Amino acid sequence: MLSTLIERSTRPLCDPNPVYNNVNVSNLNALISNLVASRTNDRLILVDQHGNIIPATHLSEDGVHPNPTGYEQMAVGWFDKLTDTSSNIDILRCQTNN
């Protein structure tokens, strides 16, 4: 499982007008998404945490780390992918060799 990165503020700590448009994060997220899409035989699953987080709502005052609601939102994103049966990848099943 691979995850995209969440946005962060590009302004200094405690700036009253934070900006959440980080080109580096966007570029890396595109590379991660393309990697997962191109490696179909590797059984990779993409968790879009970037899409799960609304910076103005889910980030703490430092503009970088999630607040409690943001962490909860991220946990939901992981859980949804772990329990999604449409990928045909049985992540939670224990495999044993007999």
Side-chain angles (χ1 to χ4, degrees):
M1 296 182 83
L2 293 176
S3 172
T4 55
L5 301 178
I6 63 174
E7 283 292 346
R8 63 179 183 83
S9 174
T10 57
R11 296 264 178 107
L13 184 64
C14 299
D15 189 314
N17 300 305
V19 174
Y20 300 105
N21 184 13
N22 188 288
V23 174
N24 292 331
V25 170
S26 298
N27 290 341
L28 183 55
N29 284 341
L31 291 171
I32 292 168
S33 296
N34 290 339
L35 174 68
V36 171
S38 71
R39 306 286 300 251
T40 56
N41 292 331
D42 290 335
R43 300 170 37 152
L44 293 175
I45 295 173
L46 180 67
V47 179
D48 183 18
Q49 293 296 11
H50 182 265
N52 289 337
I53 296 294
I54 301 167
T57 304
H58 296 132
L59 292 184
S60 63
E61 291 179 7
D62 69 3
V64 176
H65 300 92
N67 61 25
T69 304
Y71 279 117
E72 190 173 307
Q73 190 69 20
M74 290 177 73
V76 167
W78 285 110
F79 182 80
D80 286 350
K81 287 296 182 174
L82 285 168
T83 58
D84 180 10
T85 58
S86 68
S87 68
N88 293 324
I89 300 174
D90 200 353
I91 297 169
L92 297 178
R93 182 183 66 174
C94 294
Q95 296 181 352
T96 59
N97 295 328
N98 294 330

